[in-house]
Amino acid sequence: MRSKSYNESLARNDIAPYMTLDGTTPPFSIPEKMESLINGVDNMNVNVYRYPEGSYVAVSDYWNCYELDPKSLLTIEDIKPKVPNATIMDKMIMLRTAHPLPEYGRNSFITFVSLASAIPEKKSSIKLIRVKTALERHEIVNIDVDRVPYMHSFGITENYAVIIAMPFFVDPIKMFKTLIALNVLEWTRVKELQYAIFFLHTLNAYEDEDDTICLDIATYNETRSMHFFDLDILLDLLARSKQPPADLRRFKLDLSKNTVAVSSFPSSSKTDLPDHLDFPVVNEKIRSNKYCFVYGIRYNTDGEDYLHMALVKKDLCTGDGDAYWSQPYTYLTEPWFIPSPEVSREDDGITPSYARHTN
Ligand SMILES: [Fe+2]
């Protein structure tokens, strides 16, 4: 993306002062940090969506987005949609998901925005938002919260959006003290919690019989993966080998009893690689429905190096359809799934991922 921060960085031959997730090395000076806070997050290079009116947008975990031309891949312009029912003070920290989800049976997407309040008298809030076009957004519901949890994705069924608040909270006061986004996130062990997870990606969610929702998540038991790209970890084989792969879990939400039951999936006798995938994709034709197959990347395939990776297919229903592909010194991008144009089996399609081979 030829974002403003990209173009300015090229022009100065240095990293232009915009907000980044972690700090820079060497760090920005105090005036540069102040400037970066004003400039905000500008690199929307996490995900690409085609919105209902036909616009193509690049998105990240920040509210704004960039429009791009799908034919030339040129960057068109940055888009700053209005946050529905938000005041100037609400707009200091506007987090949203880099994984908006299609609204069941409608020509719209659902996303959320988290507004972290730095004023003690004012509550933080999470708003569930309907995206009609890149610019047109409507509030479905506003939920006031004491603290805003970091949320990279959520779940959607025919009738419900499931927002998952892990004990990893945004502390806006810290933001103003350190001016580094990653420092505002705090993992809080909450004693009353029966089951605390860290996660980045949900697989899918659907409504089952008897008033329950099945929500599937690639889980971790701590936040180490947030620091994986620290240079001292990337360059250290031992530190890399300690990065744990994800565990796939099903959370069954009983809406009448208000309980959650956690379970895992049947394994294949041939390989356990797909049981620990992340960056999950499903056949979008079955999104929000009962399903069996998910595809993704398994890191740390052998416990020796996080960068040993495999492209995997997980059969959540029986484990019998589990499969993987890997090759030494071959690094893979996040995959996606393109279903066969004909109406056919859920797993009839192709799963491209760019592989880079290096010695
Ligand atoms: Fe993601």
Side-chain angles (χ1 to χ4, degrees):
M1 296 301 299
R2 297 313 196 241
S3 62
K4 285 178 183 166
S5 59
Y6 178 90
N7 290 333
E8 277 179 39
S9 297
L10 278 191
R12 313 172 168 220
N13 196 26
D14 197 0
I15 298 173
Y18 282 80
M19 286 300 294
T20 52
L21 178 63
D22 207 346
T24 55
T25 308
F28 284 148
S29 64
I30 298 288
E32 281 173 329
K33 281 184 179 175
M34 294 308 293
E35 211 184 326
S36 73
L37 193 63
I38 293 160
N39 287 338
V41 178
D42 184 59
N43 266 330
M44 309 298 160
N45 45 16
V46 179
N47 225 336
V48 178
Y49 274 80
R50 181 184 186 274
Y51 277 152
E53 87 281 23
S55 64
Y56 285 77
V57 291
V59 302
S60 76
D61 279 345
Y62 195 68
W63 177 251
N64 298 343
C65 54
Y66 265 91
E67 188 173 0
L68 60 106
D69 180 337
K71 291 206 174 78
S72 64
L73 297 183
L74 291 175
T75 304
I76 298 174
E77 62 177 345
D78 57 332
I79 294 176
K80 296 177 176 166
K82 212 170 155 305
V83 181
N85 308 324
T87 65
I88 291 275
M89 288 313 289
D90 287 327
K91 293 179 186 170
M92 307 294 285
I93 301 173
M94 301 183 297
L95 295 169
R96 63 98 162 245
T97 172
H99 298 275
L101 291 171
E103 187 170 8
Y104 194 93
R106 297 177 76 154
N107 195 23
S108 47
F109 278 85
I110 301 292
T111 188
F112 57 77
V113 60
S114 303
L115 305 169
S117 168
I119 308 163
E121 295 77 37
K122 188 167 174 8
K123 283 261 192 191
S124 296
S125 69
I126 301 167
K127 291 173 187 290
L128 198 64
I129 303 284
R130 176 174 290 123
V131 180
K132 298 294 285 180
T133 71
L135 270 173
E136 189 190 342
R137 291 155 192 233
H138 304 281
E139 180 182 304
I140 297 170
V141 67
N142 177 81
I143 307 159
D144 281 341
V145 290
D146 290 330
R147 286 189 291 176
V148 161
Y150 171 72
M151 298 181 289
H152 180 70
S153 65
F154 69 117
I156 200 152
T157 70
E158 185 175 346
N159 297 295
Y160 296 91
V162 189
I163 290 174
I164 309 119
M166 51 185 157
F168 193 42
F169 293 106
V170 175
D171 179 349
I173 307 291
K174 267 194 187 165
M175 180 73 200
F176 294 110
K177 281 187 187 152
T178 69
L179 301 171
I180 293 174
L182 197 56
N183 290 355
V184 310
L185 296 167
E186 197 173 62
W187 179 252
T188 316
R189 272 274 167 214
V190 183
K191 269 197 202 140
E192 307 86 72
L193 284 181
Q194 176 195 354
Y195 198 94
I197 58 158
F198 172 74
F199 80 103
L200 292 167
H201 300 111
T202 58
L203 281 52
N204 191 14
Y206 61 87
E207 288 162 43
D208 212 345
E209 297 87 34
D210 55 26
D211 217 10
T212 58
I213 290 175
C214 287
L215 171 68
D216 300 339
I217 305 179
T219 69
Y220 299 85
N221 56 19
E222 36 80 352
T223 60
R224 202 189 298 218
S225 46
M226 290 299 279
H227 291 279
F228 180 67
F229 294 101
D230 290 1
L231 267 184
D232 54 348
I233 291 175
L234 273 183
L235 297 174
D236 179 340
L237 178 62
L238 188 65
R240 288 207 307 266
S241 71
K242 288 187 176 153
Q243 297 286 325
D247 287 308
L248 300 187
R249 292 283 181 269
R250 170 156 294 171
F251 295 81
K252 196 156 185 166
L253 285 63
D254 188 319
L255 299 176
S256 51
K257 295 194 193 118
N258 217 9
T259 55
V260 181
V262 189
S263 59
S264 49
F265 298 96
S267 281
S268 154
S269 53
K270 290 168 282 177
T271 172
D272 76 337
L273 290 180
D275 294 331
H276 306 281
L277 65 80
D278 202 344
F279 303 102
V281 287
V282 297
N283 183 338
E284 285 298 326
K285 287 181 184 169
I286 57 89
R287 167 80 59 196
S288 305
N289 287 299
K290 264 191 183 177
Y291 72 118
C292 282
F293 297 105
V294 59
Y295 309 81
I297 299 292
R298 160 72 190 265
Y299 291 91
N300 203 353
T301 52
D302 50 10
E304 289 176 10
D305 189 339
Y306 191 77
L307 297 176
H308 292 169
M309 53 180 75
L311 178 63
V312 296
K313 172 189 183 184
K314 176 67 198 165
D315 176 349
L316 301 164
C317 294
T318 66
D320 293 343
D322 286 11
Y324 69 95
W325 180 90
S326 73
Q327 198 171 271
Y329 305 107
T330 302
Y331 304 105
L332 299 155
T333 62
E334 295 184 30
W336 61 99
F337 182 82
I338 304 173
S340 159
E342 286 95 46
V343 178
S344 54
R345 297 193 330 266
E346 182 195 326
D347 61 340
D348 189 357
I350 56 169
T351 312
S353 164
Y354 287 112
R356 183 174 169 90
H357 186 84
T358 170
N359 285 318

